[in-house]
Amino acid sequence: MDDCSTDNTWNILRNMPVIAIRHPVNLGQGAALETGMEYARQHNAEFAVHFDADGQHDRNDIPGMLNILANDEADIVIGSRFLNPSTIAAVPKFKRLLLKGGIVISGLSSGLWLTDTHNGFRALSSRALHTLRLTENGFSHATEILSEIRRSGLRYAEYPTHITYTDYSRMKGQSSWNAINIVVDLIIKRVLS
Amino acid sequence: MLIKPLLAVLFALGVTFYFAKLRTRIWDRMIVLGFAFACLVLVARPELANLLAHLFGVGRGVDFLFYLAFPGVCFFCLLLYTKLTRLQGTLTLLARDLALLRQQIDSNER
């Protein structure tokens, strides 16, 4: 999924042996995920994996996550940095603190208490793919996913994932201060919905 | 001063309840027009503004006018925000359809 990138990403992507989809305007990560999921639904995908494009995630974690789905132990598997001792230390201290705060806010908001609520690494079964419909375009989609899991009764599991922070991933990843935007969006949506 | 905490509490409760349960397009317009009309009347009749100001424990009519106008403007901003959110949702659906259609065309061409 290319969310209308302004660098050379699309030219590189469309020449690779992958199915590449590009938004005509920049909409946000949540919207990009939902577009990818819609494509997967239309093509009867058995599984779908959310995988960030900033190089943080490790593709070697995918088989383990899909294994849980294949064994029908869960409908959605959510990666967790905090279940992997080797990864915890790699998360910057300030970000760790913010993520912990995010866990509390997400827990109070969605009713789901996970160890890592803003990890973009997820694996979905066909049931989860057809149940989850993201309406939050920005980074608030992570909290929306949790609320939807709770509301629809999807079975979930956490999986210890590896994270690598590089200068590139820090540059591309969301700013820690975006947490304020996420909380504000959450409050406004609660009041106005 | 009674007016400030009273308005703040009433406004917060009223807005929450309205958006949760009562909201309709007609009521949206009537509320905005109601606020606007009340402010216009108070501007045209400053003695009425002063009378109401003293009734609510506010010093001057112009201050009372401000206290009345402020919630009205906030309410209008909330309406605009919900409209923008709806428009963003519509734009997203259109962009998504276009993206998927283009992918399908590219795929067929290959």
Side-chain angles (χ1 to χ4, degrees):
Chain A
M1 272 306 308
D2 176 7
D3 191 20
C4 198
S5 58
T6 54
D7 56 10
N8 204 30
T9 296
W10 181 242
N11 287 331
I12 297 169
L13 196 58
R14 61 196 308 228
N15 292 315
M16 294 179 78
V18 297
I19 297 162
I21 303 171
R22 177 178 167 87
H23 279 159
V25 291
N26 179 253
L27 295 172
Q29 188 186 32
L33 287 176
E34 178 59 24
T35 301
M37 285 163 62
E38 179 58 27
Y39 179 88
R41 285 183 207 113
Q42 289 176 2
H43 290 81
N44 300 314
E46 193 180 355
F47 302 116
V49 176
H50 294 173
F51 194 89
D52 286 355
D54 59 4
Q56 280 188 27
H57 297 150
D58 185 348
R59 66 179 186 272
N60 295 313
D61 288 329
I62 295 176
M65 295 169 85
L66 291 181
N67 216 32
I68 294 173
L69 298 177
N71 292 335
D72 200 27
E73 293 167 21
D75 299 310
I76 181 168
V77 179
I78 301 165
S80 173
R81 288 163 276 202
F82 297 106
L83 287 180
N84 194 336
S86 64
T87 301
I88 294 172
V91 180
K93 268 188 183 164
F94 182 61
K95 186 142 191 165
R96 226 182 294 165
L97 198 63
L98 267 180
L99 287 171
K100 291 290 184 185
I103 289 168
V104 173
I105 291 170
S106 289
L108 291 171
S109 163
S110 66
L112 289 187
W113 293 90
L114 304 176
T115 59
D116 190 356
T117 54
H118 276 79
N119 191 320
F121 203 168
R122 306 176 195 90
L124 291 79
S125 67
S126 174
R127 183 181 170 226
L129 196 56
H130 284 86
T131 304
L132 291 177
R133 304 277 169 160
L134 301 181
T135 59
E136 291 289 337
N137 283 4
F139 290 110
S140 306
H141 71 272
T143 311
E144 186 185 19
I145 286 174
L146 300 183
S147 298
E148 283 299 298
I149 290 172
R150 173 94 192 264
R151 187 191 61 80
S152 58
L154 288 172
R155 298 167 303 159
Y156 64 94
E158 287 193 281
Y159 186 84
T161 51
H162 298 83
I163 297 287
T164 305
Y165 289 103
T166 61
D167 288 339
Y168 177 77
S169 70
R170 284 192 192 93
M171 183 186 73
K172 292 295 289 181
Q174 61 168 319
S175 160
S176 296
W177 295 109
N178 201 47
I180 297 172
N181 288 328
I182 293 171
V183 171
V184 170
D185 282 344
L186 205 62
I187 292 170
I188 291 176
K189 190 175 182 182
R190 273 294 164 96
V191 170
L192 297 182
S193 65
Chain B
M1 205 187 289
L2 178 64
I3 185 71
K4 288 179 191 173
L6 185 65
L7 269 181
V9 170
L10 280 176
F11 182 71
L13 287 175
V15 163
T16 306
F17 186 70
Y18 176 76
F19 276 95
K21 301 281 183 189
L22 301 175
R23 191 181 170 204
T24 65
R25 211 165 155 200
I26 290 175
W27 273 112
D28 282 349
R29 291 175 175 186
M30 284 178 65
I31 290 168
V32 171
L33 286 174
F35 270 108
F37 181 73
C39 290
L40 278 172
V41 166
L42 294 178
V43 166
R45 294 293 179 105
E47 67 280 5
L48 180 60
N50 283 329
L51 181 69
L52 289 171
H54 292 137
L55 199 65
F56 282 94
V58 178
R60 303 179 304 168
V62 67
D63 292 339
F64 181 77
L65 180 63
F66 175 76
Y67 291 145
L68 185 67
F70 185 69
V73 170
C74 287
F75 181 80
F76 187 64
C77 287
L78 279 172
L79 288 186
L80 283 179
Y81 180 84
T82 59
K83 190 172 181 81
L84 278 173
T85 305
R86 266 200 314 276
L87 281 172
Q88 185 185 44
T90 305
L91 173 67
T92 301
L93 290 176
L94 285 171
R96 180 165 298 136
D97 270 0
L98 183 58
L100 291 171
L101 192 61
R102 279 178 174 169
Q103 191 282 326
Q104 195 178 349
I105 291 170
D106 278 348
S107 164
N108 290 340
E109 281 174 356
R110 287 182 192 189

